[in-house]
């Protein structure tokens, strides 16, 4: 079983920045697609972006393009989510997830972290 642990959430003012980390256990991290998701109050889970096994390719939803950056360090079994120019509507619980090479939508991911709360004040 793969375990994922997120960290770095907290309270930040609008316009500020926050960096989340997700550390994965095991030896299979380099062969995974990693995704970041979030769940805002009263809303369903939303995909934020995806990074491929090597970190050479990323995908972001339109609402975070230019503000959020996903990266990974396979030597450390860690994926990051750098969030800049944060807005109150970014307030949510943020999750990382691990899946196979073809993983895209939430149902295609195999393992999930516990989530970390990000609150953006106005």
């Amino acid at each position: 079983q793969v375990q994922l642990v997120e960290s770095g959430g907290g309270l930040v003012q609008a316009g500020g920045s926050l960096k989340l980390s997700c550390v994965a256990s095991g030896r299979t991290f380099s062969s995974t697609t990693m995704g970041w998701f979030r769940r805002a109050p009263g809303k369903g889970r939303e995909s934020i972006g995806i990074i491929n096994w090597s970190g050479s390719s990323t995908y972001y939803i339109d609402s975070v393009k230019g503000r959020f950056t996903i990266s990974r360090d396979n030597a450390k079994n860690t994926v990051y989510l750098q969030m800049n120019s944060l807005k109150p509507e970014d307030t949510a619980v943020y999750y990382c997830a691990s899946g196979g090479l073809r993983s895209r939508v939430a149902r295609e991911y195999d393992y999930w972290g516990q989530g970390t709360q990000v609150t953006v004040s106005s």
Side-chain angles (χ1 to χ4, degrees):
Q1 183 178 1
V2 174
Q3 291 185 320
L4 306 174
V5 180
E6 302 101 331
S7 62
L11 176 64
V12 65
Q13 290 185 323
S17 298
L18 207 59
K19 187 175 184 178
L20 307 183
S21 298
C22 173
V23 180
S25 65
R27 298 181 178 180
T28 62
F29 183 77
S30 63
S31 62
T32 63
T33 294
M34 298 294 296
W36 282 98
F37 299 80
R38 66 186 180 187
R39 185 184 296 274
K43 300 178 65 176
R45 183 186 292 114
E46 176 186 36
S47 176
I48 299 168
I50 297 167
I51 188 166
N52 76 334
W53 70 272
S54 68
S56 62
S57 297
T58 53
Y59 165 82
Y60 305 94
I61 58 173
D62 288 342
S63 63
V64 307
K65 285 181 179 177
R67 299 191 299 122
F68 290 11
T69 302
I70 301 172
S71 61
R72 68 191 297 165
D73 185 340
N74 288 344
K76 298 180 178 180
N77 284 1
T78 302
V79 64
Y80 305 94
L81 177 63
Q82 176 68 51
M83 303 182 291
N84 299 324
S85 301
L86 284 162
K87 305 173 181 179
E89 51 262 44
D90 294 319
T91 296
V93 177
Y94 283 71
Y95 302 87
C96 66
S98 173
L101 297 180
R102 299 187 302 173
S103 296
R104 182 173 179 268
V105 299
R107 71 174 68 91
E108 297 172 341
Y109 286 82
D110 302 310
Y111 303 100
W112 294 79
Q114 83 287 353
T116 185
Q117 176 71 48
V118 172
T119 302
V120 184
S121 63
S122 60

